Amino acid sequence: MAKQYETVIGLEVHVELSTKTKIFCGCAATFGEEPNTHTCPVCTGMPGALPVLNKKVVEYAMKLGIAANCQINRYSRFDRKNYFYPDNPQNYQISQLYLPICHDGWLDIETASGNKKIRIHEMHMEEDAGKLIHDEWEDCSLVDYNRSGVPLIEIVSEPDMRTAEEVIAYLEKLKMICQYLGVSDCKLQEGSMRADVNLSVREVGSETMGTRTEMKNLNSFKAITHAIEGERARQIELLEEGRQVIQETRRWDDNKESSYSMRSKEDAKDYRYFPDPDLMPVVISEGWIEDIKKQQPEFAPEKAKRFQQEYGLPQYDASILTQSRRMADIFEETAGLCGQPKKVSNWMMGETMRILKEKGMDPEELSFTPSHLADLILALERKEINQQGAKQVFEQIMENDVEPISYMKEKGLMMVSDDGAISRAVEEVMAENPETVEDYRGGKEKVLGFLVGQVMKKMKGKADPGKVNALLREKL
Ligand code: ADP
Ligand code: MG
Ligand code: ZN
């Protein structure tokens, strides 16, 4: 019988923190600026420049650690990881090897096969490197140091995942927690969340771990899934041929859908780690940990429960709305303003999600003013606009955050509430269709629909069909 294999996966995830400034200097940590405009002697590794730790980074690491059920080390330290590379001007990266800030936590994940705890080995603070830009035409490489010294937290899991689905669920969970905490926007495409996948295979039932490889350069969930499937197949094939898996770092090429060897696996000793003599140990008081615990936000599961109780939302709505903190906040504010939680939820889950998907946007990027959606819902309620017009207005709210009432007036989308105008249209239609009127009076009641349609057409759809119906019956 053919052998059955199990995949074993552990992740090393880097998240770039959304602090205003870098980890060891006062340079802005903003993304996407002109190259080398946010640099100073510290983050370009000039001789004699001294790093000063950004307190916010410690705070963010503690928040994330606490949210992921970690122990916080009251005493942690920074170490130098020594290596040469042009994007690393100091010739070492400041990281934490021996005493990281957080350790021994876990995250709960949910997949089709149920709930599971993924253990977290540790989280540590470190600095990002600069960015090399390889110029295809000039055959040279340029370096941008804006990213050099941007704060990162590396989250190292235990090898507890078994499938790509579990890996994605774990990353989604981590991303959601970071976004709820406001510590990182976690965009894989922009590199503010980066996942290295460590993977090995072993025969089902075996207690010992197989030799693993580490895959880098995975910048979408799709690439991660493909890489996991591809690497599992490659390792099984090697083992089936009686060969061995070599412990190495591989780079995934999503276009070719295959990975290639980048370098043999390096060890801590290769980097000659040692405590950074320029930085003091990080000493955290019990009081500070307590303060952070008190400030932790309400996370998705509790929020979803509260939405069901407080707003009477179905469980489905509550769980969807709380997948993104931004979405949940907009929902709550809008519901408070118009007092129609289920209607707000319908707009968020329907049109909002549809437009987000169409534009390839993350719910965290939602930026419209809650009172604008509230006003639109109230206008619908007052029958000042029909459903179709409201959708048109909502697209403008999503896109340009327009004020709905003035937009409706400007574009002539307001419904005609004036009975006089509707009456006049009814009379005109009756005068133009004498035979139909006779048919109706002669007992053919089903022609009423046609007459209503004619009136609506005259009113350019801007009348309440119920009202048109009533007026027609009256006059007929
Ligand atoms: P190193 O320090 O050499 O990078 P670690 O022990 O820190 O190695 O592990 C790095 C990552 O690799 C962790 O996420 C861990 O869960 C994962 N890992 C370790 N051994 C295996 C294995 N045999 N198969 C799959 N993943 C593994
Ligand atoms: Mg490691
Ligand atoms: Zn700087």
Side-chain angles (χ1 to χ4, degrees), residues 12 154 156 212 214 265:
E12 291 163 287
E154 178 173 342
V156 184
R212 74 178 194 270
E214 179 175 352
K265 176 68 187 160

Side-chain angles (χ1 to χ4, degrees), residues 98 145 162 175-176 285 299 305 356 359 366 382 395 406 418:
Y98 301 107
Y145 290 120
R162 297 290 175 268
K175 179 174 167 177
M176 184 165 81
S285 69
F299 286 104
K305 273 203 200 95
L356 284 175
K359 296 198 186 306
L366 279 175
R382 291 191 302 264
E395 275 185 26
S406 45
D418 167 15

Side-chain angles (χ1 to χ4, degrees), residues 389-405:
K391 281 190 180 172
Q392 194 181 327
V393 176
F394 185 68
E395 275 185 26
Q396 286 303 311
I397 293 178
M398 282 280 283
E399 203 143 323
N400 306 311
D401 199 21
V402 298
E403 202 287 298
I405 307 299

Side-chain angles (χ1 to χ4, degrees), residues 12 81 97 122 124 154 156 196 198 212 214 265-266 268 273:
E12 291 163 287
K81 180 181 185 180
L97 178 75
E122 63 166 81
H124 57 258
E154 178 173 342
V156 184
D196 299 338
N198 294 273
R212 74 178 194 270
E214 179 175 352
K265 176 68 187 160
E266 69 279 34
Y273 278 94

Side-chain angles (χ1 to χ4, degrees), residues 91-104:
N91 282 353
Y92 55 82
Q93 178 197 27
I94 305 177
S95 180
Q96 297 193 297
L97 178 75
Y98 301 107
L99 283 169
I101 183 161
C102 309
H103 63 98
D104 292 304

Side-chain angles (χ1 to χ4, degrees), residues 175-410:
K175 179 174 167 177
M176 184 165 81
I177 290 176
C178 285
Q179 290 177 338
Y180 261 82
L181 290 167
V183 303
S184 172
D185 57 11
C186 294
K187 291 184 182 159
L188 272 95
Q189 276 80 357
E190 287 181 10
S192 56
M193 181 183 220
R194 313 196 273 268
D196 299 338
V197 174
N198 294 273
L199 185 150
S200 63
V201 296
R202 63 178 174 193
E203 261 189 77
V204 169
S206 161
E207 291 292 320
T208 49
M209 296 263 210
T211 304
R212 74 178 194 270
T213 60
E214 179 175 352
M215 276 181 296
K216 291 192 180 285
N217 193 38
L218 303 163
N219 51 18
S220 69
F221 287 151
K222 194 181 103 244
I224 290 171
T225 304
H226 287 169
I228 288 172
E229 282 155 8
E231 183 60 10
R232 173 187 152 90
R234 193 189 68 90
Q235 290 189 13
I236 291 175
E237 195 177 313
L238 284 174
L239 298 180
E240 290 280 304
E241 286 169 358
R243 289 157 66 196
Q244 274 177 348
V245 174
I246 299 165
Q247 193 175 341
E248 62 186 355
T249 304
R250 301 179 68 84
R251 196 177 164 88
W252 176 255
D253 184 331
D254 205 42
N255 294 322
K256 296 205 185 101
E257 296 219 354
S258 67
S259 65
Y260 56 91
S261 179
M262 216 162 110
R263 55 170 182 255
S264 64
K265 176 68 187 160
E266 69 279 34
D267 239 322
K269 65 175 189 299
D270 298 325
Y271 289 111
R272 300 290 191 272
Y273 278 94
F274 66 87
D276 193 307
D278 289 341
L279 285 157
M280 301 286 277
V282 181
V283 179
I284 294 168
S285 69
E286 207 54 60
W288 194 11
I289 298 176
E290 284 315 307
D291 283 349
I292 300 267
K293 280 187 180 160
K294 274 189 227 129
Q295 292 161 21
Q296 290 293 80
E298 175 189 44
F299 286 104
E302 307 101 76
K303 209 187 267 294
K305 273 203 200 95
R306 185 169 62 78
F307 278 8
Q308 289 176 63
Q309 286 160 3
E310 212 164 293
Y311 300 106
L313 288 186
Q315 190 199 341
Y316 179 75
D317 293 40
S319 77
I320 301 268
L321 290 174
T322 52
Q323 292 301 302
S324 143
R325 179 173 180 176
R326 181 101 199 108
M327 185 107 152
D329 286 349
I330 292 186
F331 160 77
E332 204 161 13
E333 216 178 305
T334 312
L337 287 168
C338 70
Q340 312 234 26
K342 180 61 181 139
K343 293 231 166 87
V344 179
S345 170
N346 291 347
W347 277 98
M348 305 287 305
M349 304 209 311
E351 283 301 279
T352 309
M353 294 290 242
R354 183 185 67 76
I355 297 170
L356 284 175
K357 201 168 168 195
E358 196 179 280
K359 296 198 186 306
M361 278 165 66
D362 192 287
E364 288 295 304
E365 294 173 86
L366 279 175
S367 60
F368 65 81
T369 309
S371 69
H372 290 170
L373 175 55
D375 287 347
L376 180 64
I377 290 173
L378 292 173
L380 257 171
E381 180 80 0
R382 291 191 302 264
K383 299 209 160 94
E384 286 169 8
I385 188 163
N386 59 24
Q387 196 67 31
Q388 197 192 342
K391 281 190 180 172
Q392 194 181 327
V393 176
F394 185 68
E395 275 185 26
Q396 286 303 311
I397 293 178
M398 282 280 283
E399 203 143 323
N400 306 311
D401 199 21
V402 298
E403 202 287 298
I405 307 299
S406 45
Y407 182 82
M408 278 155 56
K409 286 188 180 143
E410 190 190 311

